[in-house]
Amino acid sequence: MPIKIMGVLNVTPDSFSDGGKYFSTEKAIAHGLRLVDEGADIIDVGGESTRPGAVQVSEEQECERVIPVIRALKKQTNVSISVDTRHVLVMKEAINAGVDIINDVSALSAQGAMPLVSQHPVKICLMHMQGTPEVMQNAPDYQDAVKEIISYLKDRVKACLQAGVKKENIWIDPGFGFGKKLEHNLALLAGLKEFTQLGLPILVGLSRKSMFGEILNKPVDQRLYASLAGAVIAALQGATIVRTHDVLATKDALAVVQAVKAFEQRRAEANVLPA
Ligand code: 7PJ
């Protein structure tokens, strides 16, 4: 499966890594179209910041931010559109607006989320988070992060299947930075291949995250090269969707991974002896 690039489109005044530069419908649409030009396969539209300490918005406000942007991008582009939300009202209105993917950092834990999405042919990304955005970085704690997060995702996948979601519509995501210390994020990146045992597409979001800030001691606007290294490490281990603010750079880096993988595939096929 070719690696897909998901471009991040924040429609929030307080999103941490672009300083709310795109906080208006018009600006958001323009930025979304730019990400498409850069080669994004998916645009992920989010109206709620999940940064610790971020200002809370109502579901109605979140809809006012994201729905016009989703409608415009559906009309003006051919790429898939995703909505980054934890809230059922936003999911419902985004589905009405034609969204293709529901990307939920709480893995559809809101009451009514699973029954809603099971009624529609949308893809679902189930992400792991320890705690809630407000408190998740207070004291992240795991015995074995990789094992525990795989087990959590297996349970959420099972619940989705029981609620009637089709297996081919489910993606998983270990949730880098969501209730994780540096050592947990490193364990996940080092052990990402283990997530392929679920047999589902793996999405990773590493772009500009604080784990790179800790490794480099650099602010968010100086983490591009580190984020590319992270994306390459993830893709080599089987990540198939990479969520990023920097579409063009990430696309080029992952084209190299793709070419090496295709070479390995050809060589493996050539070495198979005819029956
Ligand atoms: C992620 C996300 C991620 C998925 C955010 C940020 C924080 N959705 N939404 N995975 N991160 N699926 O972009 O730094 O890692 S918001």
Side-chain angles (χ1 to χ4, degrees), residues 43-60:
I43 303 295
D44 189 35
V45 184
E48 181 203 37
S49 173
T50 45
R51 184 178 53 139
V55 183
Q56 294 273 342
V57 291
S58 68
E59 295 193 32
E60 287 77 12

Side-chain angles (χ1 to χ4, degrees), residues 29-266:
I29 295 164
H31 188 62
L33 294 174
R34 196 177 124 205
L35 297 177
V36 174
D37 282 345
E38 289 186 18
D41 303 289
I42 303 163
I43 303 295
D44 189 35
V45 184
E48 181 203 37
S49 173
T50 45
R51 184 178 53 139
V55 183
Q56 294 273 342
V57 291
S58 68
E59 295 193 32
E60 287 77 12
Q61 268 177 303
E62 198 183 327
C63 285
E64 280 167 30
R65 291 176 180 183
V66 299
I67 301 302
V69 176
I70 292 168
R71 280 193 196 284
L73 292 177
K74 280 306 291 182
K75 219 181 265 172
Q76 295 176 50
T77 75
N78 292 318
V79 304
S80 296
I81 307 298
S82 156
V83 65
D84 188 343
T85 189
R86 302 183 281 160
H87 301 119
V88 175
L89 179 66
V90 184
M91 292 176 193
K92 199 182 282 179
E93 294 210 2
I95 290 168
N96 286 338
V99 88
D100 303 283
I101 302 150
I102 308 283
N103 173 28
D104 183 357
V105 299
S106 74
L108 301 180
S109 57
Q111 187 80 36
M114 273 188 203
L116 169 70
V117 302
S118 71
Q119 303 297 307
H120 300 277
V122 287
K123 306 278 182 203
I124 312 299
C125 181
L126 299 173
M127 198 199 79
H128 172 272
M129 165 165 59
Q130 189 178 81
T132 60
E134 297 73 30
V135 297
M136 66 190 181
Q137 290 308 110
N138 291 357
D141 183 37
Y142 303 84
Q143 297 293 324
D144 182 332
V146 171
K147 229 170 151 178
E148 285 166 47
I149 292 167
I150 287 175
S151 157
Y152 169 85
L153 290 173
K154 278 185 180 166
D155 287 348
R156 298 309 290 164
V157 169
K158 205 165 143 195
C160 278
L161 295 173
Q162 277 165 0
V165 179
K166 293 202 174 72
K167 186 174 182 208
E168 69 256 30
N169 288 337
I170 305 177
W171 300 353
I172 52 165
D173 182 341
F176 286 98
F178 284 83
K180 281 122 190 154
K181 291 186 194 160
L182 177 59
E183 63 185 288
H184 307 133
N185 290 314
L186 292 174
L188 288 170
L189 194 49
L192 196 73
K193 203 178 213 124
E194 296 193 38
F195 287 77
T196 59
Q197 67 182 258
L198 277 83
L200 296 167
I202 300 170
L203 189 155
V204 293
L206 290 155
S207 185
R208 305 180 183 175
K209 282 193 175 165
S210 66
M211 62 184 286
F212 302 120
E214 285 185 61
I215 294 169
L216 301 172
N217 194 25
K218 286 188 176 177
V220 69
D221 62 344
Q222 292 168 37
R223 297 178 190 165
L224 170 60
Y225 307 134
S227 300
L228 295 177
V232 167
I233 294 168
L236 283 172
Q237 294 185 76
T240 43
I241 307 110
V242 174
R243 183 180 181 278
T244 180
H245 302 83
D246 302 288
V247 168
L248 186 58
T250 307
K251 184 123 184 148
D252 280 1
L254 295 181
V256 180
V257 176
Q258 193 79 61
V260 171
K261 286 193 168 201
F263 170 82
E264 283 177 330
Q265 180 94 35
R266 286 196 301 277

